[in-house]
Amino acid sequence: MQSTHGHPWQRAEDTRFSPPNRPDMRELMFIRWRLEDDQWVVGAVAAPFAWGLPF
């Protein structure tokens, strides 16, 4: 949340959310949630620096 200055992340798909201030990074920067035992848990985290791309 710190990097988005308190603005909520935007839904990109049913369970994938991307930061609101980087629409150009929607495919590279996201958090995907999944339902596990009736609780939502983080299923995947993606960030461009994980692949060595400039942030």
Side-chain angles (χ1 to χ4, degrees):
M1 288 300 293
Q2 182 178 2
S3 66
T4 62
H5 305 287
H7 298 287
W9 283 39
Q10 297 174 335
R11 186 180 297 229
E13 291 177 359
D14 285 347
T15 60
R16 192 176 83 189
F17 292 81
S18 297
N21 57 347
R22 295 303 303 264
D24 58 324
M25 293 292 217
R26 179 174 282 190
E27 297 300 318
L28 297 175
M29 184 184 302
F30 62 85
I31 295 176
R32 185 181 308 272
W33 295 89
R34 63 184 167 86
L35 195 57
E36 183 178 295
D37 296 327
D38 295 326
Q39 294 185 347
W40 286 102
V41 297
V42 175
V45 176
F49 55 83
W51 296 291
L53 299 174
F55 188 72

